[in-house]
Amino acid sequence: MYTYQDLIAIPEDDAKRRMDFVRAVINQHKGSEQYKVAVMGCDYNAKRNITIMLYQKTLRKLDGREVLDKWSPNHKTTRNFFSYFTTQQNQYLLGNGVTWNEESTADALGADFDTQLQRAGKMALVQGESFGFFNLDHVDVFGLTEFAPLYDEENGALRAGVRFWQVDDTKPLRATFYEEDGYTNYIWNERQDIAKDEQQGRILKEKTPYILKLRTTEADGTEIYDGENYPSFPIIPLWANEEKQSELVGIQEQIDAYDLIKNGFLNDLDTAQIYWILKGAGGMDDTDLVRFLERIHSTKMASLDDDQSAEAVTVQIPYDAREKLLERLERDLYKDYMALNVDEIKGGAVTATQIEAAYEPLNSKADMYEYQIIKFIKGILAVAGID
């Protein structure tokens, strides 16, 4: 894991080593466990349960080989638990925005600060960590899937970081390297039909201060005459919780179990769990039986001799056991995430005490989350020079 100390070990004037270091930071970050969990969190938040999407039904042949089951249905429906939970938690705390003692504070942070704060919160819950960049008069938000942080080994503070993006594998990799005294832009293009120096990367823009001072004259027009930086590093981390991990951790397995059971139930309903009993077919070996079943699956018909017959037997699908298990998993998901299940309080005879009790887990979770939000806002205000 690269840290801020690895950066300061490289001389400021060694542009080639610094560029190679930035690329190494990106590669190390994309291979880290935190990045992989963040990507998985984004998939589940986008209603793409990767476990169920990658699941393939198989059959075992007589020779022991496992092959894809091409005949029976393979539904891949997903429940939107994770996005529902994170949206509920985030909007419960941040849905009404921030109230400031001074109106000038809101003006200094930009008209869309509340929106950006909600984006940062949602990213943190989904990915485990997000970052707010105070950019002169507004705040920009990065996620862990696009920003590689460099923390100080001595005090744990964020001291530098690399924001990176790439449209696809055939397009150039772009990066902005943020340091306390400015930022530098880089580009790498790995296509084989271009010059080697282009493949190795180059500086698109030399290190530039964060705050540029401009002046305009009739003779020269507008020009930059000076630049300065913030009193501290202008990018502030926001974690989802004290464990500094995505809220997907701990409930992913239950979401997977729910989706797998539900889709297995759908698949069984489609096939109705039919078994075949062949009469007068004692001379058929295992290979002949498999061929018979394959023909039934592919053409929906089969030919038999006059002294043979086939009977389809339907086995009753175990409905009650699966339904109870799905209900249990859903209850456990709400409890383990400490989310509010509105189904429990929407009845007409529910008392105010019961409603208050139903909200208590969400209140507790939002209180813990609020400490992370307060720490993040204080960091932004410190960079902006606001008390």
Side-chain angles (χ1 to χ4, degrees):
M1 176 182 178
Y2 290 108
T3 65
Y4 179 70
Q5 277 64 31
D6 296 316
L7 169 62
I8 60 179
I10 303 174
E12 179 74 26
D13 58 355
D14 195 338
K16 179 65 169 60
R17 281 184 63 191
R18 289 175 70 85
M19 182 170 62
D20 291 342
F21 175 76
V22 169
R23 183 60 187 270
V25 168
I26 296 173
N27 292 339
Q28 183 272 333
H29 180 68
K30 294 175 74 172
S32 67
E33 186 64 25
Q34 292 87 347
Y35 179 86
K36 294 175 182 177
V37 172
V39 171
M40 188 179 300
C42 291
D43 284 332
Y44 277 75
N45 183 65
K47 299 176 283 293
R48 294 191 299 267
N49 181 333
I50 58 174
T51 302
I52 196 69
M53 292 301 174
L54 296 176
Y55 175 73
Q56 295 290 340
K57 299 180 68 175
T58 60
L59 294 172
R60 189 169 295 280
K61 299 182 75 68
L62 295 175
D63 58 6
R65 289 184 298 115
E66 205 169 15
V67 297
L68 291 179
D69 184 354
K70 301 177 182 179
W71 299 283
S72 60
N74 189 15
H75 292 290
K76 296 184 177 183
T77 63
T78 60
R79 280 292 301 273
N80 193 22
F81 284 117
F82 188 55
S83 179
Y84 178 85
F85 291 160
T86 54
T87 300
Q88 183 186 83
Q89 177 183 348
N90 197 54
Q91 297 308 109
Y92 185 70
L93 181 65
L94 303 177
N96 293 326
V98 182
T99 301
W100 305 102
N101 291 329
E102 302 290 342
E103 291 185 7
S104 58
T105 302
D107 296 334
L109 297 181
D112 66 340
F113 178 76
D114 287 337
T115 302
Q116 292 296 78
L117 181 60
Q118 289 181 39
R119 288 188 64 239
K122 178 73 172 181
M123 282 185 183
L125 294 173
V126 170
Q127 302 181 25
E129 186 178 8
S130 64
F131 306 87
F133 170 37
F134 181 71
N135 192 0
L136 189 59
D137 59 357
H138 66 282
V139 175
D140 295 320
V141 175
F142 311 144
L144 194 61
T145 56
E146 61 178 327
F147 186 81
L150 290 172
Y151 287 99
D152 193 314
E153 296 175 15
E154 297 179 358
N155 57 22
L158 181 63
R159 302 288 300 276
V162 184
R163 188 191 180 199
F164 56 92
W165 65 97
Q166 188 174 17
V167 177
D168 61 47
D169 294 338
T170 65
K171 303 300 181 182
L173 170 66
R174 297 280 302 275
T176 300
F177 185 31
Y178 295 95
E179 301 176 76
E180 292 177 339
D181 59 345
Y183 63 94
T184 310
N185 290 331
Y186 297 94
I187 186 171
W188 292 267
N189 197 332
E190 299 178 342
R191 286 169 44 199
Q192 300 301 314
D193 58 342
I194 60 176
K196 191 171 182 60
D197 59 341
E198 284 282 319
Q199 297 178 25
Q200 294 176 346
R202 60 186 174 89
I203 298 175
L204 269 182
K205 187 177 183 180
E206 297 286 350
K207 184 180 287 188
T208 306
Y210 291 105
I211 305 173
L212 298 178
K213 296 184 178 180
L214 308 177
R215 64 184 172 195
T216 303
T217 63
E218 289 189 13
D220 300 324
T222 301
E223 63 176 348
I224 299 172
Y225 72 92
D226 197 5
E228 63 182 73
N229 292 300
Y230 298 103
S232 60
F233 188 54
I235 298 179
I236 309 300
L238 170 60
W239 287 284
N241 45 58
E242 289 186 354
E243 291 75 24
K244 300 181 179 180
Q245 63 186 15
S246 167
E247 290 290 349
L248 182 65
V249 177
I251 66 168
Q252 177 199 343
E253 294 79 8
Q254 293 186 68
I255 295 174
D256 292 343
Y258 186 99
D259 287 343
L260 287 169
I261 292 171
K262 178 184 175 183
N263 285 283
F265 193 16
L266 289 172
N267 295 333
D268 287 347
L269 285 175
D270 278 357
T271 58
Q273 291 198 348
I274 296 176
Y275 294 88
W276 292 88
I277 297 177
L278 302 183
K279 297 180 180 179
M284 296 176 64
D285 57 20
D286 289 342
T287 302
D288 295 327
L289 293 173
V290 170
R291 287 173 180 167
F292 169 82
L293 191 58
E294 288 179 349
R295 186 172 182 83
I296 289 291
H297 280 145
S298 58
T299 66
K300 306 299 181 184
M301 51 187 170
S303 58
L304 297 170
D305 295 333
D306 293 338
D307 57 345
Q308 294 177 329
S309 63
E311 178 184 356
V313 178
T314 303
V315 178
Q316 184 178 0
I317 298 173
Y319 169 83
D320 291 337
R322 295 187 186 186
E323 190 66 24
K324 289 181 180 178
L325 184 53
L326 288 176
E327 292 176 0
R328 174 64 181 272
L329 284 171
E330 185 168 352
R331 285 198 308 272
D332 288 349
L333 277 165
Y334 274 95
K335 288 182 179 179
D336 291 344
Y337 194 91
M338 302 174 72
L340 172 67
N341 188 349
V342 295
D343 290 338
E344 296 180 355
I345 59 173
K346 68 182 182 181
V350 179
T351 66
T353 302
Q354 289 174 307
I355 294 175
E356 186 176 349
Y359 268 93
E360 189 54 33
L362 180 58
N363 282 325
S364 298
K365 191 174 184 68
D367 287 344
M368 296 172 64
Y369 177 47
E370 186 175 11
Y371 288 116
Q372 304 298 331
I373 294 294
I374 291 173
K375 188 188 304 181
F376 173 76
I377 293 178
K378 285 184 176 179
I380 294 291
L381 294 178
V383 174
I386 301 172
D387 182 5

